[in-house]
Amino acid sequence: LLAPELPATTLAPNCYYHMFDGCISLRTAPELPALTLAFVGDAVYELYVRQNILSLSVKAHNLHYLGVSRVNNNTQAMLLMRIEPELTEIEQSVVRRGRNAKGIVPKNAAVQTYRKSTALEALIGYLYLNGENDRLLWILGQIEDVVAQGGH
């Protein structure tokens, strides 16, 4: 079955179209609070991981284990450390804002690791909202290497 054709939409200037028919002004995305960027980045990261592990298994139990090994503070912190030398000045600024954001750290997480994880999620949210898909996919594409090196 083919998906129905969607009606053409006219986007406002400086608007990025999202898969759920949302629109965020490119001028406001960089100005969003770091924890808001991290909120979006967390969802993007999780969806990317879930989509990619489907090629590894179809059993729910296995999918859960595979997901947890990729979506956790340690893996995300290691991924951030891996990509930090390659970040642009703007990306470094977003990471700094995410790392310094004052959120609630879960009891089972080390503060520094959790802050790095939040910083990575803020960066992913920023890139997603700005439509920087190539850069976003470059970062997310390194998750498997981090997991293989013991990032979980």
Side-chain angles (χ1 to χ4, degrees):
L1 294 172
L2 296 175
E5 193 169 318
L6 297 175
T9 57
T10 304
L11 299 178
N14 298 320
C15 185
Y16 177 71
Y17 178 78
H18 293 276
M19 71 176 125
F20 299 115
D21 199 26
C23 176
I24 291 201
S25 167
L26 293 180
R27 291 194 179 122
T28 60
E31 298 166 4
L32 289 172
L35 291 178
T36 302
L37 293 173
F39 174 78
V40 172
D42 176 61
V44 171
Y45 186 95
E46 176 89 24
L47 185 58
Y48 177 88
V49 167
R50 286 180 180 224
Q51 180 178 329
N52 283 288
I53 62 176
L54 287 175
S55 66
L56 303 175
S57 178
V58 293
K59 294 183 179 182
H61 176 75
N62 292 346
L63 291 171
H64 174 74
Y65 173 77
L66 291 167
V68 167
S69 69
R70 288 153 178 78
V71 182
N72 65 68
N73 296 329
N74 293 326
T75 300
Q76 290 174 323
M78 286 184 67
L79 178 56
L80 178 64
M81 289 187 290
R82 178 186 179 111
I83 64 168
E84 268 185 309
E86 305 296 324
L87 298 180
T88 66
E89 283 185 38
I90 292 171
E91 292 167 344
Q92 289 173 4
S93 174
V94 172
V95 165
R96 220 175 358 264
R97 286 176 49 211
R99 188 180 292 130
N100 294 333
K102 300 299 179 207
I104 298 171
V105 178
K107 292 178 184 177
N108 65 341
V111 174
Q112 293 301 326
T113 302
Y114 189 79
R115 299 269 187 242
K116 288 177 184 175
S117 175
T118 302
L120 176 72
E121 291 172 345
L123 176 61
I124 289 171
Y126 173 83
L127 294 172
Y128 173 77
L129 292 174
N130 277 324
E132 296 182 37
N133 295 331
D134 290 341
R135 192 69 169 156
L136 179 60
L137 290 173
W138 172 77
I139 291 170
L140 294 173
Q142 297 186 56
I143 294 170
E144 292 305 315
D145 291 341
V146 171
V147 170
Q149 293 174 0
H152 58 285

